[in-house]
């Protein structure tokens, strides 16, 4: 583990952010990026813009082809489809992931849902293994430092080789939330349930428990939004243990409250060095 003094003296600093979506990872990345010499690498952006782009476009095309008028225009190449993923707009990825449940309520059949989850898993793993090369490229482009704004599901990859690689090429910084922030995230999930990635073992156990608790026989009977709202608190509890284990072994931990009090890139660096 690198010491605080060693980290301060590094000519080229690299950081990988770890934590739940909504805990402040992108806020930290943007705050620290105000210095101008930090390269901001968004894992979710890379997934949507590269590794899942064809699958996302194919999904949109399939949806459009249910309309005969649009189908004709697509088939004769009068129109084309593109996916406009950006750092601030990851909606195409969410739309692709979808939610499991009753198709009449916007849900996906369980087989298709699992297929898309698997594609996302492979895309995220590929993206994280690309981080060392992007660090090199960023330095070649004149950036002194690098920040890997990883997705909340990084912990779900369960790849010790990858975690070791990331820890060797960057400092893994876990942003630990508090009970109040967890409550806010849970309430947000209830009022605005969004698609997300689930570890396959966690998902299988969760969907079976949900079916049993609600006396349902099939996933096609599930209300998609209700399942997301029901499972999210369990997902937080499940992931928090994984984040802690990764941080204890490969990195350091900062508190989300302390991060939200930071007002400059220097404040963030001081917060990280104090954690070391």
């Amino acid at each position: 583990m690198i010491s605080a003094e060693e980290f301060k003296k590094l000519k080229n600093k690299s950081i990988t952010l770890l934590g739940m979506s909504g805990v402040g990872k992108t806020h930290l990345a943007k705050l620290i990026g105000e210095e101008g010499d930090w390269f901001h690498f968004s894992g979710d952006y890379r997934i949507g813009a590269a590794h899942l782009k064809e699958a996302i476009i194919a999904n949109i095309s399939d949806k459009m082809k249910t309309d005969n008028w649009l189908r004709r225009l697509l088939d004769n190449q009068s129109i084309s489809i593109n996916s406009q993923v950006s750092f601030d707009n990851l909606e195409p990825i969410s739309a692709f992931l979808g939610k499991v449940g009753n198709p009449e309520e916007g849900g996906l059949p369980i087989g298709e849902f699992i297929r898309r989850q698997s594609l996302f898993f492979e895309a995220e793993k590929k993206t994280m293994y690309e981080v060392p090369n992007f660090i090199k490229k960023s330095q070649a482009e004149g950036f002194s430092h690098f920040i890997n704004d990883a997705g909340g599901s990084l912990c779900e990859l369960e790849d010790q080789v990858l975690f070791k690689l990331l820890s060797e090429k960057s400092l893994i910084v876990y942003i630990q939330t508090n009970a109040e922030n967890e409550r806010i995230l849970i309430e947000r999930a209830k009022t605005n349930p969004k698609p997300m990635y689930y570890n396959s073992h966690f998902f299988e156990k969760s969907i079976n428990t949900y079916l049993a608790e609600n006396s349902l026989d099939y996933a096609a009977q599930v209300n998609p939004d209700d399942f997301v709202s029901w499972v999210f608190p369990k997902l937080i509890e499940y992931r928090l243990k994984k984040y802690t284990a990764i941080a204890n072994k490969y990195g350091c931990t900062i508190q989300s409250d302390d991060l939200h009090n930071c007002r400059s890139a220097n404040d963030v660096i001081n917060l990280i060095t104090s954690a070391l």
Side-chain angles (χ1 to χ4, degrees):
M1 171 69 67
I2 191 171
S3 70
E5 283 304 312
E6 289 171 331
F7 181 74
K8 282 182 180 179
K9 293 177 181 178
L10 281 178
K11 180 182 178 182
N12 302 116
K13 297 179 177 66
S14 296
I15 297 170
T16 288
L17 299 180
L18 182 69
M20 290 292 297
S21 295
V23 78
K25 297 192 301 293
T26 300
H27 167 69
L28 185 154
K30 290 182 176 180
L31 190 61
I32 209 171
E34 291 176 356
E35 277 195 357
D37 57 352
W38 283 82
F39 183 91
H40 182 184
F41 178 81
S42 167
D44 284 338
Y45 169 79
R46 176 67 178 168
I47 289 169
H51 300 303
L52 277 185
K53 185 168 185 176
E54 289 185 8
I56 289 170
I57 291 174
N59 179 51
I60 297 171
S61 177
D62 288 343
K63 292 281 188 184
M64 292 179 68
K65 284 182 178 180
T66 60
D67 183 296
N68 289 332
W69 185 74
L70 288 173
R71 184 186 186 95
R72 285 195 298 272
L73 292 175
L74 285 168
D75 288 345
N76 65 26
Q77 298 183 335
S78 295
I79 60 174
S80 61
I81 302 169
N82 198 10
S83 171
Q84 300 295 340
V85 175
S86 69
F87 277 28
D88 297 315
N89 179 23
L90 300 170
E91 185 61 29
I93 303 174
S94 292
F96 173 76
L97 275 175
K99 305 169 189 174
V100 69
N102 189 340
E104 294 182 1
E105 297 178 277
L108 291 170
I110 192 165
E112 175 62 12
F113 180 78
I114 290 172
R115 183 187 75 86
R116 296 188 189 191
Q117 292 274 304
S118 178
L119 288 175
F120 183 88
F121 174 85
E122 294 300 327
E124 183 164 32
K125 182 169 283 194
K126 286 179 183 177
T127 296
M128 289 299 102
Y129 269 107
E130 290 175 332
V131 166
N133 285 334
F134 273 96
I135 291 174
K136 289 181 182 178
K137 288 180 181 179
S138 69
Q139 291 174 359
E141 292 174 9
F143 290 91
S144 299
H145 314 299
F146 182 94
I147 189 158
N148 174 21
D149 184 1
S153 54
L154 173 60
C155 65
E156 304 287 17
L157 299 182
E158 296 184 337
D159 184 336
Q160 299 304 316
V161 173
L162 172 60
F163 297 151
K164 186 171 186 295
L165 175 66
L166 289 175
S167 70
E168 290 171 347
K169 300 298 181 179
S170 64
L171 173 63
I172 295 179
V173 178
Y174 168 38
I175 304 174
Q176 187 176 48
T177 188
N178 59 31
E180 176 60 16
N181 285 337
E182 288 174 28
R183 186 194 64 77
I184 292 172
L185 290 175
I186 291 170
E187 287 303 312
R188 188 182 302 164
K190 288 179 178 178
T191 57
N192 186 25
K194 293 183 177 180
M196 59 189 67
Y197 172 79
Y198 307 101
N199 172 283
S200 58
H201 301 296
F202 173 84
F203 173 71
E204 182 179 358
K205 180 180 178 181
S206 297
I207 192 68
N208 287 333
T209 301
Y210 180 89
L211 291 174
E213 287 185 6
N214 291 276
S215 302
L216 301 175
D217 297 317
Y218 309 104
Q221 298 171 301
V222 169
N223 177 282
D225 286 346
D226 187 65
F227 175 74
V228 173
S229 299
W230 175 87
V231 80
F232 191 75
K234 298 169 179 59
L235 181 67
I236 286 184
E237 182 180 359
Y238 179 73
R239 285 187 177 177
L240 290 182
K241 296 175 183 177
K242 291 188 173 186
Y243 293 142
T244 300
I246 294 170
N248 288 344
K249 187 172 182 180
Y250 297 109
C252 67
T253 300
I254 62 175
Q255 302 301 315
S256 59
D257 285 349
D258 294 332
L259 172 60
H260 292 151
N261 290 328
C262 291
R263 295 293 177 265
S264 67
N266 191 54
D267 288 345
V268 175
I269 294 300
N270 287 337
L271 178 60
I272 293 172
T273 52
S274 67
L276 291 171

mmCIF file with all atom_site columns, all heavy atoms in Angstrom, residues 39-61:
data_model
loop_
_atom_site.group_PDB
_atom_site.id
_atom_site.type_symbol
_atom_site.label_atom_id
_atom_site.label_alt_id
_atom_site.label_comp_id
_atom_site.label_asym_id
_atom_site.label_entity_id
_atom_site.label_seq_id
_atom_site.pdbx_PDB_ins_code
_atom_site.Cartn_x
_atom_site.Cartn_y
_atom_site.Cartn_z
_atom_site.occupancy
_atom_site.B_iso_or_equiv
_atom_site.pdbx_formal_charge
_atom_site.auth_seq_id
_atom_site.auth_comp_id
_atom_site.auth_asym_id
_atom_site.auth_atom_id
_atom_site.pdbx_PDB_model_num
ATOM 1   N N   . PHE A 1 39 ? -7.235  13.392 -16.310 1.00 0.00 ? 39 PHE A N   1
ATOM 2   C CA  . PHE A 1 39 ? -8.036  12.750 -17.345 1.00 0.00 ? 39 PHE A CA  1
ATOM 3   C C   . PHE A 1 39 ? -9.167  11.988 -16.670 1.00 0.00 ? 39 PHE A C   1
ATOM 4   O O   . PHE A 1 39 ? -8.925  11.111 -15.836 1.00 0.00 ? 39 PHE A O   1
ATOM 5   C CB  . PHE A 1 39 ? -7.188  11.782 -18.177 1.00 0.00 ? 39 PHE A CB  1
ATOM 6   C CG  . PHE A 1 39 ? -7.934  11.142 -19.322 1.00 0.00 ? 39 PHE A CG  1
ATOM 7   C CD1 . PHE A 1 39 ? -7.938  11.737 -20.574 1.00 0.00 ? 39 PHE A CD1 1
ATOM 8   C CD2 . PHE A 1 39 ? -8.632  9.956  -19.147 1.00 0.00 ? 39 PHE A CD2 1
ATOM 9   C CE1 . PHE A 1 39 ? -8.629  11.173 -21.637 1.00 0.00 ? 39 PHE A CE1 1
ATOM 10  C CE2 . PHE A 1 39 ? -9.327  9.368  -20.197 1.00 0.00 ? 39 PHE A CE2 1
ATOM 11  C CZ  . PHE A 1 39 ? -9.327  9.976  -21.445 1.00 0.00 ? 39 PHE A CZ  1
ATOM 12  N N   . HIS A 1 40 ? -10.409 12.319 -17.021 1.00 0.00 ? 40 HIS A N   1
ATOM 13  C CA  . HIS A 1 40 ? -11.586 11.681 -16.417 1.00 0.00 ? 40 HIS A CA  1
ATOM 14  C C   . HIS A 1 40 ? -12.035 10.520 -17.300 1.00 0.00 ? 40 HIS A C   1
ATOM 15  O O   . HIS A 1 40 ? -12.552 10.722 -18.401 1.00 0.00 ? 40 HIS A O   1
ATOM 16  C CB  . HIS A 1 40 ? -12.704 12.706 -16.275 1.00 0.00 ? 40 HIS A CB  1
ATOM 17  C CG  . HIS A 1 40 ? -13.940 12.160 -15.624 1.00 0.00 ? 40 HIS A CG  1
ATOM 18  N ND1 . HIS A 1 40 ? -15.090 12.908 -15.487 1.00 0.00 ? 40 HIS A ND1 1
ATOM 19  C CD2 . HIS A 1 40 ? -14.227 10.944 -15.078 1.00 0.00 ? 40 HIS A CD2 1
ATOM 20  C CE1 . HIS A 1 40 ? -16.016 12.186 -14.891 1.00 0.00 ? 40 HIS A CE1 1
ATOM 21  N NE2 . HIS A 1 40 ? -15.521 10.986 -14.649 1.00 0.00 ? 40 HIS A NE2 1
ATOM 22  N N   . PHE A 1 41 ? -11.826 9.300  -16.826 1.00 0.00 ? 41 PHE A N   1
ATOM 23  C CA  . PHE A 1 41 ? -12.245 8.092  -17.533 1.00 0.00 ? 41 PHE A CA  1
ATOM 24  C C   . PHE A 1 41 ? -13.520 7.577  -16.885 1.00 0.00 ? 41 PHE A C   1
ATOM 25  O O   . PHE A 1 41 ? -13.520 7.182  -15.714 1.00 0.00 ? 41 PHE A O   1
ATOM 26  C CB  . PHE A 1 41 ? -11.146 7.025  -17.452 1.00 0.00 ? 41 PHE A CB  1
ATOM 27  C CG  . PHE A 1 41 ? -11.497 5.714  -18.115 1.00 0.00 ? 41 PHE A CG  1
ATOM 28  C CD1 . PHE A 1 41 ? -11.373 5.568  -19.482 1.00 0.00 ? 41 PHE A CD1 1
ATOM 29  C CD2 . PHE A 1 41 ? -11.944 4.637  -17.362 1.00 0.00 ? 41 PHE A CD2 1
ATOM 30  C CE1 . PHE A 1 41 ? -11.683 4.360  -20.101 1.00 0.00 ? 41 PHE A CE1 1
ATOM 31  C CE2 . PHE A 1 41 ? -12.251 3.425  -17.969 1.00 0.00 ? 41 PHE A CE2 1
ATOM 32  C CZ  . PHE A 1 41 ? -12.132 3.288  -19.343 1.00 0.00 ? 41 PHE A CZ  1
ATOM 33  N N   . SER A 1 42 ? -14.616 7.597  -17.630 1.00 0.00 ? 42 SER A N   1
ATOM 34  C CA  . SER A 1 42 ? -15.893 7.094  -17.122 1.00 0.00 ? 42 SER A CA  1
ATOM 35  C C   . SER A 1 42 ? -16.093 5.662  -17.596 1.00 0.00 ? 42 SER A C   1
ATOM 36  O O   . SER A 1 42 ? -16.217 5.411  -18.803 1.00 0.00 ? 42 SER A O   1
ATOM 37  C CB  . SER A 1 42 ? -17.049 7.971  -17.612 1.00 0.00 ? 42 SER A CB  1
ATOM 38  O OG  . SER A 1 42 ? -18.287 7.334  -17.371 1.00 0.00 ? 42 SER A OG  1
ATOM 39  N N   . GLY A 1 43 ? -16.137 4.727  -16.654 1.00 0.00 ? 43 GLY A N   1
ATOM 40  C CA  . GLY A 1 43 ? -16.331 3.332  -17.011 1.00 0.00 ? 43 GLY A CA  1
ATOM 41  C C   . GLY A 1 43 ? -17.656 3.102  -17.716 1.00 0.00 ? 43 GLY A C   1
ATOM 42  O O   . GLY A 1 43 ? -17.715 2.417  -18.747 1.00 0.00 ? 43 GLY A O   1
ATOM 43  N N   . ASP A 1 44 ? -18.739 3.690  -17.195 1.00 0.00 ? 44 ASP A N   1
ATOM 44  C CA  . ASP A 1 44 ? -20.055 3.508  -17.798 1.00 0.00 ? 44 ASP A CA  1
ATOM 45  C C   . ASP A 1 44 ? -20.105 4.099  -19.210 1.00 0.00 ? 44 ASP A C   1
ATOM 46  O O   . ASP A 1 44 ? -20.734 3.525  -20.111 1.00 0.00 ? 44 ASP A O   1
ATOM 47  C CB  . ASP A 1 44 ? -21.140 4.139  -16.925 1.00 0.00 ? 44 ASP A CB  1
ATOM 48  C CG  . ASP A 1 44 ? -21.454 3.299  -15.696 1.00 0.00 ? 44 ASP A CG  1
ATOM 49  O OD1 . ASP A 1 44 ? -21.174 2.085  -15.722 1.00 0.00 ? 44 ASP A OD1 1
ATOM 50  O OD2 . ASP A 1 44 ? -21.978 3.855  -14.710 1.00 0.00 ? 44 ASP A OD2 1
ATOM 51  N N   . TYR A 1 45 ? -19.464 5.257  -19.394 1.00 0.00 ? 45 TYR A N   1
ATOM 52  C CA  . TYR A 1 45 ? -19.434 5.857  -20.735 1.00 0.00 ? 45 TYR A CA  1
ATOM 53  C C   . TYR A 1 45 ? -18.726 4.931  -21.719 1.00 0.00 ? 45 TYR A C   1
ATOM 54  O O   . TYR A 1 45 ? -19.209 4.700  -22.837 1.00 0.00 ? 45 TYR A O   1
ATOM 55  C CB  . TYR A 1 45 ? -18.732 7.213  -20.701 1.00 0.00 ? 45 TYR A CB  1
ATOM 56  C CG  . TYR A 1 45 ? -18.449 7.753  -22.090 1.00 0.00 ? 45 TYR A CG  1
ATOM 57  C CD1 . TYR A 1 45 ? -19.470 8.351  -22.821 1.00 0.00 ? 45 TYR A CD1 1
ATOM 58  C CD2 . TYR A 1 45 ? -17.182 7.630  -22.658 1.00 0.00 ? 45 TYR A CD2 1
ATOM 59  C CE1 . TYR A 1 45 ? -19.227 8.825  -24.110 1.00 0.00 ? 45 TYR A CE1 1
ATOM 60  C CE2 . TYR A 1 45 ? -16.937 8.093  -23.944 1.00 0.00 ? 45 TYR A CE2 1
ATOM 61  C CZ  . TYR A 1 45 ? -17.959 8.687  -24.667 1.00 0.00 ? 45 TYR A CZ  1
ATOM 62  O OH  . TYR A 1 45 ? -17.722 9.135  -25.943 1.00 0.00 ? 45 TYR A OH  1
ATOM 63  N N   . ARG A 1 46 ? -17.586 4.386  -21.325 1.00 0.00 ? 46 ARG A N   1
ATOM 64  C CA  . ARG A 1 46 ? -16.823 3.485  -22.189 1.00 0.00 ? 46 ARG A CA  1
ATOM 65  C C   . ARG A 1 46 ? -17.641 2.237  -22.532 1.00 0.00 ? 46 ARG A C   1
ATOM 66  O O   . ARG A 1 46 ? -17.632 1.774  -23.676 1.00 0.00 ? 46 ARG A O   1
ATOM 67  C CB  . ARG A 1 46 ? -15.508 3.097  -21.500 1.00 0.00 ? 46 ARG A CB  1
ATOM 68  C CG  . ARG A 1 46 ? -14.658 2.083  -22.261 1.00 0.00 ? 46 ARG A CG  1
ATOM 69  C CD  . ARG A 1 46 ? -14.123 2.641  -23.543 1.00 0.00 ? 46 ARG A CD  1
ATOM 70  N NE  . ARG A 1 46 ? -13.280 1.655  -24.232 1.00 0.00 ? 46 ARG A NE  1
ATOM 71  C CZ  . ARG A 1 46 ? -12.846 1.761  -25.478 1.00 0.00 ? 46 ARG A CZ  1
ATOM 72  N NH1 . ARG A 1 46 ? -13.174 2.841  -26.196 1.00 0.00 ? 46 ARG A NH1 1
ATOM 73  N NH2 . ARG A 1 46 ? -12.096 0.835  -26.025 1.00 0.00 ? 46 ARG A NH2 1
ATOM 74  N N   . ILE A 1 47 ? -18.357 1.717  -21.553 1.00 0.00 ? 47 ILE A N   1
ATOM 75  C CA  . ILE A 1 47 ? -19.204 0.540  -21.786 1.00 0.00 ? 47 ILE A CA  1
ATOM 76  C C   . ILE A 1 47 ? -20.241 0.848  -22.862 1.00 0.00 ? 47 ILE A C   1
ATOM 77  O O   . ILE A 1 47 ? -20.425 0.076  -23.807 1.00 0.00 ? 47 ILE A O   1
ATOM 78  C CB  . ILE A 1 47 ? -19.899 0.111  -20.478 1.00 0.00 ? 47 ILE A CB  1
ATOM 79  C CG1 . ILE A 1 47 ? -18.878 -0.505 -19.510 1.00 0.00 ? 47 ILE A CG1 1
ATOM 80  C CG2 . ILE A 1 47 ? -21.021 -0.893 -20.762 1.00 0.00 ? 47 ILE A CG2 1
ATOM 81  C CD1 . ILE A 1 47 ? -19.421 -0.710 -18.110 1.00 0.00 ? 47 ILE A CD1 1
ATOM 82  N N   . GLY A 1 48 ? -20.949 1.969  -22.702 1.00 0.00 ? 48 GLY A N   1
ATOM 83  C CA  . GLY A 1 48 ? -22.014 2.309  -23.640 1.00 0.00 ? 48 GLY A CA  1
ATOM 84  C C   . GLY A 1 48 ? -21.537 2.776  -24.992 1.00 0.00 ? 48 GLY A C   1
ATOM 85  O O   . GLY A 1 48 ? -22.185 2.522  -26.009 1.00 0.00 ? 48 GLY A O   1
ATOM 86  N N   . ALA A 1 49 ? -20.389 3.462  -25.014 1.00 0.00 ? 49 ALA A N   1
ATOM 87  C CA  . ALA A 1 49 ? -19.890 4.024  -26.272 1.00 0.00 ? 49 ALA A CA  1
ATOM 88  C C   . ALA A 1 49 ? -19.089 3.030  -27.097 1.00 0.00 ? 49 ALA A C   1
ATOM 89  O O   . ALA A 1 49 ? -18.904 3.224  -28.296 1.00 0.00 ? 49 ALA A O   1
ATOM 90  C CB  . ALA A 1 49 ? -19.025 5.251  -25.977 1.00 0.00 ? 49 ALA A CB  1
ATOM 91  N N   . ALA A 1 50 ? -18.623 1.952  -26.455 1.00 0.00 ? 50 ALA A N   1
ATOM 92  C CA  . ALA A 1 50 ? -17.770 0.991  -27.170 1.00 0.00 ? 50 ALA A CA  1
ATOM 93  C C   . ALA A 1 50 ? -18.320 -0.429 -27.079 1.00 0.00 ? 50 ALA A C   1
ATOM 94  O O   . ALA A 1 50 ? -18.865 -0.964 -28.044 1.00 0.00 ? 50 ALA A O   1
ATOM 95  C CB  . ALA A 1 50 ? -16.337 1.057  -26.634 1.00 0.00 ? 50 ALA A CB  1
ATOM 96  N N   . HIS A 1 51 ? -18.232 -1.037 -25.923 1.00 0.00 ? 51 HIS A N   1
ATOM 97  C CA  . HIS A 1 51 ? -18.473 -2.478 -25.813 1.00 0.00 ? 51 HIS A CA  1
ATOM 98  C C   . HIS A 1 51 ? -19.940 -2.889 -25.926 1.00 0.00 ? 51 HIS A C   1
ATOM 99  O O   . HIS A 1 51 ? -20.231 -4.026 -26.309 1.00 0.00 ? 51 HIS A O   1
ATOM 100 C CB  . HIS A 1 51 ? -17.873 -2.994 -24.514 1.00 0.00 ? 51 HIS A CB  1
ATOM 101 C CG  . HIS A 1 51 ? -16.399 -2.764 -24.421 1.00 0.00 ? 51 HIS A CG  1
ATOM 102 N ND1 . HIS A 1 51 ? -15.521 -3.237 -25.365 1.00 0.00 ? 51 HIS A ND1 1
ATOM 103 C CD2 . HIS A 1 51 ? -15.654 -2.075 -23.524 1.00 0.00 ? 51 HIS A CD2 1
ATOM 104 C CE1 . HIS A 1 51 ? -14.288 -2.871 -25.050 1.00 0.00 ? 51 HIS A CE1 1
ATOM 105 N NE2 . HIS A 1 51 ? -14.346 -2.152 -23.929 1.00 0.00 ? 51 HIS A NE2 1
ATOM 106 N N   . LEU A 1 52 ? -20.855 -2.014 -25.578 1.00 0.00 ? 52 LEU A N   1
ATOM 107 C CA  . LEU A 1 52 ? -22.280 -2.360 -25.697 1.00 0.00 ? 52 LEU A CA  1
ATOM 108 C C   . LEU A 1 52 ? -22.992 -1.579 -26.794 1.00 0.00 ? 52 LEU A C   1
ATOM 109 O O   . LEU A 1 52 ? -24.203 -1.733 -26.973 1.00 0.00 ? 52 LEU A O   1
ATOM 110 C CB  . LEU A 1 52 ? -23.009 -2.115 -24.369 1.00 0.00 ? 52 LEU A CB  1
ATOM 111 C CG  . LEU A 1 52 ? -22.934 -3.203 -23.302 1.00 0.00 ? 52 LEU A CG  1
ATOM 112 C CD1 . LEU A 1 52 ? -23.807 -2.836 -22.105 1.00 0.00 ? 52 LEU A CD1 1
ATOM 113 C CD2 . LEU A 1 52 ? -23.351 -4.559 -23.848 1.00 0.00 ? 52 LEU A CD2 1
ATOM 114 N N   . LYS A 1 53 ? -22.263 -0.776 -27.550 1.00 0.00 ? 53 LYS A N   1
ATOM 115 C CA  . LYS A 1 53 ? -22.913 0.113  -28.518 1.00 0.00 ? 53 LYS A CA  1
ATOM 116 C C   . LYS A 1 53 ? -23.726 -0.663 -29.553 1.00 0.00 ? 53 LYS A C   1
ATOM 117 O O   . LYS A 1 53 ? -24.875 -0.325 -29.844 1.00 0.00 ? 53 LYS A O   1
ATOM 118 C CB  . LYS A 1 53 ? -21.882 0.990  -29.218 1.00 0.00 ? 53 LYS A CB  1
ATOM 119 C CG  . LYS A 1 53 ? -22.524 2.021  -30.152 1.00 0.00 ? 53 LYS A CG  1
ATOM 120 C CD  . LYS A 1 53 ? -21.548 3.071  -30.626 1.00 0.00 ? 53 LYS A CD  1
ATOM 121 C CE  . LYS A 1 53 ? -22.277 4.131  -31.444 1.00 0.00 ? 53 LYS A CE  1
ATOM 122 N NZ  . LYS A 1 53 ? -21.381 5.228  -31.856 1.00 0.00 ? 53 LYS A NZ  1
ATOM 123 N N   . GLU A 1 54 ? -23.147 -1.724 -30.129 1.00 0.00 ? 54 GLU A N   1
ATOM 124 C CA  . GLU A 1 54 ? -23.863 -2.488 -31.147 1.00 0.00 ? 54 GLU A CA  1
ATOM 125 C C   . GLU A 1 54 ? -25.111 -3.142 -30.568 1.00 0.00 ? 54 GLU A C   1
ATOM 126 O O   . GLU A 1 54 ? -26.165 -3.176 -31.217 1.00 0.00 ? 54 GLU A O   1
ATOM 127 C CB  . GLU A 1 54 ? -22.944 -3.542 -31.754 1.00 0.00 ? 54 GLU A CB  1
ATOM 128 C CG  . GLU A 1 54 ? -21.853 -2.959 -32.638 1.00 0.00 ? 54 GLU A CG  1
ATOM 129 C CD  . GLU A 1 54 ? -21.025 -4.038 -33.331 1.00 0.00 ? 54 GLU A CD  1
ATOM 130 O OE1 . GLU A 1 54 ? -21.403 -5.229 -33.241 1.00 0.00 ? 54 GLU A OE1 1
ATOM 131 O OE2 . GLU A 1 54 ? -20.010 -3.691 -33.954 1.00 0.00 ? 54 GLU A OE2 1
ATOM 132 N N   . ALA A 1 55 ? -25.013 -3.680 -29.357 1.00 0.00 ? 55 ALA A N   1
ATOM 133 C CA  . ALA A 1 55 ? -26.163 -4.319 -28.725 1.00 0.00 ? 55 ALA A CA  1
ATOM 134 C C   . ALA A 1 55 ? -27.255 -3.297 -28.415 1.00 0.00 ? 55 ALA A C   1
ATOM 135 O O   . ALA A 1 55 ? -28.456 -3.581 -28.558 1.00 0.00 ? 55 ALA A O   1
ATOM 136 C CB  . ALA A 1 55 ? -25.725 -5.034 -27.443 1.00 0.00 ? 55 ALA A CB  1
ATOM 137 N N   . ILE A 1 56 ? -26.851 -2.096 -27.993 1.00 0.00 ? 56 ILE A N   1
ATOM 138 C CA  . ILE A 1 56 ? -27.807 -1.031 -27.698 1.00 0.00 ? 56 ILE A CA  1
ATOM 139 C C   . ILE A 1 56 ? -28.548 -0.612 -28.969 1.00 0.00 ? 56 ILE A C   1
ATOM 140 O O   . ILE A 1 56 ? -29.780 -0.479 -28.986 1.00 0.00 ? 56 ILE A O   1
ATOM 141 C CB  . ILE A 1 56 ? -27.093 0.183  -27.065 1.00 0.00 ? 56 ILE A CB  1
ATOM 142 C CG1 . ILE A 1 56 ? -26.646 -0.151 -25.637 1.00 0.00 ? 56 ILE A CG1 1
ATOM 143 C CG2 . ILE A 1 56 ? -28.003 1.412  -27.057 1.00 0.00 ? 56 ILE A CG2 1
ATOM 144 C CD1 . ILE A 1 56 ? -25.738 0.893  -25.020 1.00 0.00 ? 56 ILE A CD1 1
ATOM 145 N N   . ILE A 1 57 ? -27.798 -0.434 -30.053 1.00 0.00 ? 57 ILE A N   1
ATOM 146 C CA  . ILE A 1 57 ? -28.405 -0.032 -31.320 1.00 0.00 ? 57 ILE A CA  1
ATOM 147 C C   . ILE A 1 57 ? -29.326 -1.130 -31.852 1.00 0.00 ? 57 ILE A C   1
ATOM 148 O O   . ILE A 1 57 ? -30.419 -0.852 -32.367 1.00 0.00 ? 57 ILE A O   1
ATOM 149 C CB  . ILE A 1 57 ? -27.316 0.317  -32.353 1.00 0.00 ? 57 ILE A CB  1
ATOM 150 C CG1 . ILE A 1 57 ? -26.605 1.616  -31.930 1.00 0.00 ? 57 ILE A CG1 1
ATOM 151 C CG2 . ILE A 1 57 ? -27.903 0.473  -33.752 1.00 0.00 ? 57 ILE A CG2 1
ATOM 152 C CD1 . ILE A 1 57 ? -25.411 1.982  -32.784 1.00 0.00 ? 57 ILE A CD1 1
ATOM 153 N N   . ALA A 1 58 ? -28.898 -2.388 -31.711 1.00 0.00 ? 58 ALA A N   1
ATOM 154 C CA  . ALA A 1 58 ? -29.726 -3.509 -32.167 1.00 0.00 ? 58 ALA A CA  1
ATOM 155 C C   . ALA A 1 58 ? -31.041 -3.541 -31.390 1.00 0.00 ? 58 ALA A C   1
ATOM 156 O O   . ALA A 1 58 ? -32.110 -3.825 -31.964 1.00 0.00 ? 58 ALA A O   1
ATOM 157 C CB  . ALA A 1 58 ? -28.976 -4.823 -32.005 1.00 0.00 ? 58 ALA A CB  1
ATOM 158 N N   . ASN A 1 59 ? -30.982 -3.246 -30.091 1.00 0.00 ? 59 ASN A N   1
ATOM 159 C CA  . ASN A 1 59 ? -32.190 -3.227 -29.269 1.00 0.00 ? 59 ASN A CA  1
ATOM 160 C C   . ASN A 1 59 ? -33.143 -2.126 -29.727 1.00 0.00 ? 59 ASN A C   1
ATOM 161 O O   . ASN A 1 59 ? -34.357 -2.344 -29.841 1.00 0.00 ? 59 ASN A O   1
ATOM 162 C CB  . ASN A 1 59 ? -31.805 -3.025 -27.801 1.00 0.00 ? 59 ASN A CB  1
ATOM 163 C CG  . ASN A 1 59 ? -33.003 -2.964 -26.874 1.00 0.00 ? 59 ASN A CG  1
ATOM 164 O OD1 . ASN A 1 59 ? -33.859 -3.822 -26.897 1.00 0.00 ? 59 ASN A OD1 1
ATOM 165 N ND2 . ASN A 1 59 ? -33.056 -1.910 -26.073 1.00 0.00 ? 59 ASN A ND2 1
ATOM 166 N N   . ILE A 1 60 ? -32.600 -0.937 -30.003 1.00 0.00 ? 60 ILE A N   1
ATOM 167 C CA  . ILE A 1 60 ? -33.430 0.174  -30.487 1.00 0.00 ? 60 ILE A CA  1
ATOM 168 C C   . ILE A 1 60 ? -34.054 -0.183 -31.837 1.00 0.00 ? 60 ILE A C   1
ATOM 169 O O   . ILE A 1 60 ? -35.239 0.066  -32.083 1.00 0.00 ? 60 ILE A O   1
ATOM 170 C CB  . ILE A 1 60 ? -32.590 1.461  -30.608 1.00 0.00 ? 60 ILE A CB  1
ATOM 171 C CG1 . ILE A 1 60 ? -32.064 1.890  -29.237 1.00 0.00 ? 60 ILE A CG1 1
ATOM 172 C CG2 . ILE A 1 60 ? -33.412 2.587  -31.225 1.00 0.00 ? 60 ILE A CG2 1
ATOM 173 C CD1 . ILE A 1 60 ? -31.050 3.012  -29.290 1.00 0.00 ? 60 ILE A CD1 1
ATOM 174 N N   . SER A 1 61 ? -33.238 -0.797 -32.699 1.00 0.00 ? 61 SER A N   1
ATOM 175 C CA  . SER A 1 61 ? -33.727 -1.197 -34.029 1.00 0.00 ? 61 SER A CA  1
ATOM 176 C C   . SER A 1 61 ? -34.880 -2.187 -33.918 1.00 0.00 ? 61 SER A C   1
ATOM 177 O O   . SER A 1 61 ? -35.892 -2.059 -34.611 1.00 0.00 ? 61 SER A O   1
ATOM 178 C CB  . SER A 1 61 ? -32.581 -1.811 -34.832 1.00 0.00 ? 61 SER A CB  1
ATOM 179 O OG  . SER A 1 61 ? -33.037 -2.269 -36.091 1.00 0.00 ? 61 SER A OG  1
#
